[in-house]
Amino acid sequence: MAQSGGKSAVALEIERQIAELEREADSIATREEIDRLRQQLEGTLQHGSEPSNDAWRRVLLARHPQRPHTLDYIHKLFSEFTVLHGDRRFADDPAMVCGLATFEGKPVMVIGHQKGRDTKQKLFRNFGMTKPEGYRKAMRLMQLAAKFGVPIITMIDTPGAYPGIGAEERGQAEAIAHNLKEIPKLKVPIIVIIHGEGGSGGALAIAVGDHVLMFENSVYSVIAPESCSSILWRDWDHKQEAARLLKLTAEDLHGFGLIDQVVPEPKGGAHNDLNKAAALLRPFIFDTLAKLKSLSTHDLLARRHQRLRRLASFVSET
């Protein structure tokens, strides 16, 4: 894409997507995506490719318009991927992709959020914001995988669960809570890969596992920096400070023990070289699967429960 008026190709593409989405601004998800794109555009125009605030730079990279999505990685890492649909209760949710695949000759169940690339895809995928039927589909297929002894790999890339009225009416909170309660019981290895945005409960609903991998330019947080800024400072002007305080980078989270390994990315970010990004991720998946599959079911579950209990710290006041 050619540059115009001093603007980069990325800025021009973001402006084009904003214009298209503004004509479709009839849902919460669409309006939130427009706001996120405007923040991305602001970062691109003001800071170029290297904002001074490292945490905010990671946020912009995690949201980069050309950053690889779940299906991009699936097609590079797995073979014989067969998409499975529906929660058997209400509908299929395109924001959550699920299916059986083969990794290094062995069957796996792959489950992940899927964002769209262009405006049409974004609307179809609801910007990666999953509805209750998406989480119930994921849970159904995780249980199916456990029934047949197939390892599970989940791929996280969502700004958060969809907050619309319909989703709330169909039990959004219950669907997420049910997953959080049931996933730890599954008697197969579960690997979690955070490769884009890991937003709040919308990410956590499929991010409970035995081993969590996180790309170095991904983010994982209970709340978006803009929303945090809005709560603490009553505006979005402090979003960069909020990003720093939230400790949402891979290095911060690894230091806290919330993730297990940081996966390196190609220079400048995964969007610069999908093939290399997938190649860098592959050995992490292979080694982790081999380690987890060597454990007995009893040891696997005990290890998982111990890991989950370590994630929280409690202080007693006398």
Side-chain angles (χ1 to χ4, degrees):
M1 185 181 295
Q3 295 186 0
S4 174
K7 294 182 180 178
S8 68
V10 171
L12 292 172
E13 173 62 16
I14 295 173
E15 288 182 339
R16 184 189 67 78
Q17 291 191 14
I18 290 173
E20 290 184 357
L21 288 173
E22 284 178 337
R23 294 194 289 269
E24 303 283 347
D26 56 355
S27 72
I28 295 173
T30 307
R31 292 192 292 274
E32 290 192 356
E33 178 66 11
I34 291 172
D35 290 338
R36 282 191 292 273
L37 285 172
R38 284 175 175 159
Q39 295 300 314
Q40 183 78 34
L41 179 62
E42 176 187 332
T44 301
L45 295 177
Q46 289 185 357
H47 305 290
S49 60
E50 294 292 336
S52 57
N53 184 311
D54 184 65
W56 182 244
R57 180 178 67 87
R58 302 296 178 92
V59 172
L60 294 180
L61 284 171
R63 297 174 179 174
H64 194 284
Q66 300 304 317
R67 190 168 180 84
H69 295 158
T70 292
L71 284 175
D72 297 322
Y73 285 112
I74 287 176
H75 295 320
K76 292 294 181 181
L77 292 166
F78 307 99
S79 58
E80 300 177 317
F81 179 63
T82 303
V83 181
L84 300 173
H85 297 282
D87 67 344
R88 301 298 187 265
R89 297 188 188 183
F90 180 75
D92 186 51
D93 185 356
M96 183 73 75
V97 295
C98 310
L100 285 166
T102 301
F103 179 77
E104 302 294 346
K106 303 294 183 180
V108 292
M109 180 70 76
V110 186
I111 293 168
H113 307 96
Q114 176 65 22
K115 295 178 177 178
R117 186 67 64 195
D118 56 27
T119 303
K120 183 178 180 180
Q121 291 179 4
K122 287 187 175 191
L123 292 170
F124 176 66
R125 301 289 183 182
N126 204 38
F127 312 99
M129 302 174 72
T130 310
K131 299 175 183 178
E133 48 270 26
Y135 294 117
R136 291 177 178 135
K137 173 174 66 172
M139 189 70 252
R140 177 177 75 84
L141 295 175
M142 286 184 182
Q143 290 173 332
L144 180 67
K147 179 179 179 179
F148 293 100
V150 175
I152 298 166
I153 298 175
T154 67
M155 307 194 73
I156 313 302
D157 185 20
T158 180
Y162 182 58
I165 293 175
E168 298 297 336
E169 290 175 340
R170 296 193 299 278
Q172 183 71 290
E174 187 277 337
I176 293 173
H178 180 73
N179 283 18
L180 296 177
K181 179 173 73 76
E182 294 299 321
I183 293 175
K185 302 176 185 178
L186 300 177
K187 298 179 181 180
V188 292
I190 305 172
I191 298 175
V192 177
I193 303 167
I194 303 167
H195 63 87
E197 290 184 274
S200 192
L204 194 60
I206 62 168
V208 179
D210 300 296
H211 197 85
V212 180
L213 303 171
M214 184 171 176
F215 273 103
E216 63 175 311
N217 291 317
S218 296
V219 294
Y220 193 23
S221 175
V222 68
I223 191 171
E226 296 90 341
S227 299
C228 179
S229 175
S230 179
I231 292 171
L232 295 182
W233 289 280
R234 300 293 187 267
D235 58 45
W236 279 17
D237 296 340
H238 296 80
K239 57 186 178 293
Q240 295 190 38
E241 177 68 6
R244 184 183 65 82
L245 295 174
L246 283 168
K247 304 297 183 183
L248 44 65
T249 69
E251 288 81 1
D252 287 331
L253 296 169
H254 186 259
F256 294 136
L258 297 175
I259 66 167
D260 298 291
Q261 286 181 289
V262 179
V263 180
E265 296 187 22
K267 184 177 180 181
H271 61 280
N272 286 327
D273 192 338
L274 169 59
N275 290 327
K276 186 173 182 180
L280 290 167
L281 176 60
R282 182 180 292 276
F284 283 88
I285 300 176
F286 183 86
D287 293 343
T288 303
L289 266 180
K291 178 180 178 180
L292 295 176
K293 289 173 72 174
S294 69
L295 301 173
S296 67
T297 300
H298 177 272
D299 290 344
L300 179 72
L301 293 178
R303 180 184 180 279
R304 182 185 300 161
H305 293 162
Q306 289 170 4
R307 181 186 181 280
L308 293 175
R309 291 180 69 86
R310 288 197 303 269
L311 297 182
S313 299
F314 300 91
V315 178
S316 298
E317 293 186 3
T318 58

